[in-house]
């Protein structure tokens, strides 16, 4: 059945525009193949929006997101802010504002391996081969949003607050169980309940909810131990669910299993429009050089078809094309190793042509 897809495209900063262009071209090719109509509109965000209008998530961009069926997102961040702790407006505030205002409480980051990349992982091949798990990171609570946050008057003390409510924990745990039910039926809830009060709420709420899912195994793990286990025994995870900051850190770690940070896509879902973005940042050193890996963004487009439009065949075709590009060794420098490094646009075009030829 052909459909109309209305998407917002927010390229953002750094390599954002280059990688999003490739994902958008892939999206266009898939829509053409399946007879869907694609309407897309671009919006500004991040440092580029600060430069243009003085704020990183302008109202017009929010309105665009709200009236779209899905948001394809690049990256946010600019080094001129990273080493300036006293900057009044920061590009990252735009990303956080978007997450909060769109109610994107769950960030889904699937971690799986590609056969042709196994040997690119710094981890032993037998450890990572077949690893396939889903990280669900809570995205609108915890230390990122807890108040108070700030500095004492004399500037010598600083504080952040980690806040969670029962409702926030409940909704994400139910989501974790739902996905585990469709997978290998295991949930690992990662916390620091031996130290943090907020973690003890997570654990208590999870213990209350778990009996509603008798066919799903619930495992509880402290975050320090989880950091070790992700490297040591990644195959032991199925659905890993955790709070915002732990999830931020653990998913960068988990990307090592895939072989490159440039390979991990994500879907942020919640109350309003869902957002699809690579987990890597704006990689400013590579901006404008046409060398960044577009595959995480292209795979985010696959998640967009699946999660936002329930178009499984379309998503599967993108995955197939991405796997084929790696088998053909048409890859960017981060995964090329001793082989030839292709440019961002060459990889994107290869994927598009594969889809057209199918
Ligand atoms: C991510 C990023 C962001 C985060 C930054 C850019 C604010 O690291 O999406 O993982 O910390 O959430
Ligand atoms: Mg991060």
């Amino acid at each position: 059945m052909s459909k109309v897809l209305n998407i917002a495209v927010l390229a953002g900063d750094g390599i954002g525009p280059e990688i999003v262009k490739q994902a958008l071209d892939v999206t266009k090719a898939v829509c053409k193949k399946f007879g869907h109509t694609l309407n897309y509109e671009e919006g500004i965000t991040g440092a580029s929006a600060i430069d243009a209008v003085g704020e990183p998530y302008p109202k017009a961009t929010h309105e665009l997101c709200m009236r779209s069926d899905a948001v394809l997102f690049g990256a946010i961040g600019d080094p001129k802010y990273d080493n300036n702790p006293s900057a009044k407006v920061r590009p990252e505030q735009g990303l956080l504002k978007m997450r909060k205002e769109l109610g994107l409480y769950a960030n889904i980051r699937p971690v799986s391996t590609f056969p042709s990349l196994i040997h690119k992982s710094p981890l032993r091949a037998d450890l990572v081969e077949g690893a396939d798990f889903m990280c669900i990171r809570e995205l609108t609570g915890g230390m990122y949003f807890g108040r108070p946050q700030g500095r004492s008057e004399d500037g010598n003390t600083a504080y952040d607050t980690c806040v969670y409510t029962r409702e926030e924990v409940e909704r994400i745990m139910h989501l974790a169980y739902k996905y585990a039910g469709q997978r290998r039926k295991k949930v690992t809830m990662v916390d620091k309940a031996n130290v943090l009060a907020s973690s003890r709420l997570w654990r208590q709420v999870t213990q209350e909810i778990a009996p509603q899912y008798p066919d799903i195994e619930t495992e509880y793990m402290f975050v320090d131990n989880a950091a070790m286990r992700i490297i040591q025994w990644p195959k032991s995870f199925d659905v890993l669910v955790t709070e915002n900051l732990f999830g931020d850190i653990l998913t960068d770690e988990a990307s090592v299993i895939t072989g490159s940070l440039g390979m991990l896509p994500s879907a942020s879902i919640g109350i309003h429009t869902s957002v699809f973005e690579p987990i890597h940042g704006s990689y400013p050193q590579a901006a404008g050089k046409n060398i960044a890996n577009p595959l995480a963004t292209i795979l985010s487009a696959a998640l967009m078809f699946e999660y936002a439009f329930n178009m499984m065949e379309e998503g599967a075709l993108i995955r197939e094309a991405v796997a084929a590009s790696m088998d053909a060794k048409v890859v960017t420098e981060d995964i090329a190793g001793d082989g030839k490094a292709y440019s961002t646009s060459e990889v994107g075009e290869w994927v598009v042509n594969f889809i057209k030829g199918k």
Side-chain angles (χ1 to χ4, degrees):
M1 253 245 311
S2 63
K3 278 199 197 163
V4 181
L5 283 62
N6 296 307
I7 70 169
V9 178
L10 310 186
D13 306 322
I15 56 168
E18 298 158 58
I19 52 175
V20 163
K21 178 181 187 305
Q22 303 312 318
L24 186 58
D25 286 348
V26 167
T27 303
K28 288 177 188 166
V30 170
C31 284
K32 192 145 188 238
K33 167 127 268 157
F34 287 85
H36 304 309
T37 306
L38 177 70
N39 299 321
Y40 69 93
E41 202 180 319
E42 296 181 58
I44 55 170
T45 179
S48 40
I50 299 179
D51 292 342
V53 297
E55 46 179 320
Y57 185 60
K59 197 160 170 260
T61 301
H62 179 62
E63 285 167 359
L64 166 63
C65 293
M66 289 295 283
R67 65 172 180 267
S68 302
D69 302 323
V71 179
L72 188 61
F73 192 92
I76 264 185
D78 187 304
K80 74 180 175 212
Y81 298 94
D82 291 350
N83 296 313
N84 177 9
S86 51
K88 287 258 167 335
V89 224
R90 315 184 64 80
E92 288 79 6
Q93 287 165 349
L95 185 59
L96 302 189
K97 198 167 172 213
M98 177 181 78
R99 289 172 178 171
K100 197 67 169 179
E101 292 190 0
L102 293 177
L104 302 169
Y105 62 82
N107 182 229
I108 297 168
R109 300 184 164 186
V111 181
S112 57
T113 52
F114 293 89
S116 51
L117 269 190
I118 295 281
H119 297 282
K120 296 291 182 311
S121 172
L123 301 177
R124 248 177 32 225
D126 62 302
L127 286 181
V128 297
E129 197 157 23
D132 174 13
F133 61 99
M134 175 190 265
C135 293
I136 304 183
R137 166 188 174 190
E138 202 289 329
L139 203 58
T140 51
M143 202 115 73
Y144 277 64
F145 294 95
R147 294 293 179 265
Q149 177 187 63
R151 287 274 188 117
S152 62
E153 235 159 73
D154 67 5
N156 293 330
T157 308
Y159 41 87
D160 298 282
T161 313
C162 187
V163 183
Y164 271 107
T165 63
R166 163 177 290 276
E167 192 224 337
E168 285 171 322
V169 180
E170 277 172 358
R171 67 183 174 186
I172 198 150
M173 287 312 302
H174 283 300
L175 198 71
Y177 281 109
K178 179 183 132 191
Y179 286 123
Q182 298 161 6
R183 296 175 49 98
R184 299 192 308 277
K185 304 198 165 27
K186 180 176 173 186
V187 167
T188 305
M189 199 282 287
V190 172
D191 67 18
K192 188 73 187 172
N194 49 347
V195 177
L196 303 178
S198 53
S199 281
R200 285 192 283 275
L201 177 67
W202 273 74
R203 200 166 276 226
Q204 184 196 329
V205 170
T206 306
Q207 284 165 348
E208 288 166 16
I209 288 176
Q212 295 175 31
Y213 300 91
D215 60 329
I216 295 173
E217 180 195 344
T218 306
E219 177 182 51
Y220 299 90
M221 200 178 287
F222 294 140
V223 63
D224 46 354
N225 185 23
M228 189 180 75
R229 282 269 296 272
I230 284 174
I231 295 297
Q232 221 174 24
W233 192 18
K235 281 180 252 190
S236 69
F237 295 100
D238 179 22
V239 172
L240 184 163
V241 56
T242 191
E243 66 92 48
N244 203 345
L245 181 60
F246 296 162
D248 177 47
I249 299 166
L250 293 179
T251 50
D252 264 31
E253 186 196 7
S255 75
V256 170
I257 295 164
T258 314
S260 170
L261 188 56
M263 293 299 304
L264 272 202
S266 85
S268 300
I269 61 176
I271 297 164
H272 303 290
T273 320
S274 301
V275 174
F276 302 86
E277 59 171 313
I279 88 150
H280 59 69
S282 56
Y283 192 15
Q285 305 87 324
K289 293 188 182 155
N290 200 22
I291 57 171
N293 189 345
L295 294 181
T297 320
I298 291 174
L299 289 167
S300 300
L303 292 178
M304 177 175 80
F305 279 103
E306 294 162 351
Y307 284 79
F309 299 106
N310 204 18
M311 295 178 173
M312 299 303 162
E313 263 182 76
E314 287 82 339
L317 178 57
I318 295 178
R319 274 176 224 292
E320 187 190 337
V322 166
S325 76
M326 285 188 296
D327 288 344
K329 299 201 166 31
V330 181
V331 292
T332 43
E333 61 173 21
D334 54 315
I335 45 182
D338 298 331
K340 179 180 173 199
Y342 286 79
S343 68
T344 309
S345 51
E346 282 169 334
V347 172
E349 281 156 24
W350 196 97
V351 172
V352 165
N353 284 329
F354 180 94
I355 289 167
K356 282 185 180 160
K358 266 280 155 174

